[in-house]
Amino acid sequence: MTNGQDIATSPRTEIPMLRAYRLWFEHTRKCGDGCKGAPRAQDGCEDGRQLWGTYRLVRIGKAAS
C-alpha cells in the first residue's frame, strides 16, 4: 500500500475552454473600464469582449487558446 507520497504526479494541463473562461473571469473581477458589474459580457470593455469572444470560439471548438 502507498501512503500517497510515492505516487508521481505530472502537472495538470488546463482544458483550453476552462482556461479561456478563467482569463475572462479574472479580467472582469479586476477591470475598472466597464466589465466589473456589467450584466452581460457584451457590455464590458473591449478587452473583456475579446476575451469572451475567445471563450465562445474555444467552447465550440473553432479556435485554439
Side-chain angles (χ1 to χ4, degrees):
M1 296 193 69
T2 62
N3 61 6
Q5 296 175 352
D6 298 333
I7 300 171
T9 59
S10 62
R12 299 180 106 188
T13 57
E14 194 170 19
I15 297 170
M17 181 185 78
L18 295 179
R19 179 179 185 277
Y21 185 84
R22 179 182 55 79
L23 291 173
W24 170 79
F25 184 78
E26 289 175 356
H27 169 80
T28 60
R29 295 188 68 209
K30 299 173 186 172
C31 179
D33 292 335
C35 289
K36 189 173 187 174
R40 299 182 324 155
Q42 296 86 350
D43 296 337
C45 73
E46 181 66 29
D47 289 339
R49 290 192 307 266
Q50 185 175 12
L51 287 167
W52 183 254
T54 300
Y55 162 71
R56 289 186 64 201
L57 290 174
V58 172
R59 184 174 54 111
I60 62 172
K62 297 288 186 184
S65 176

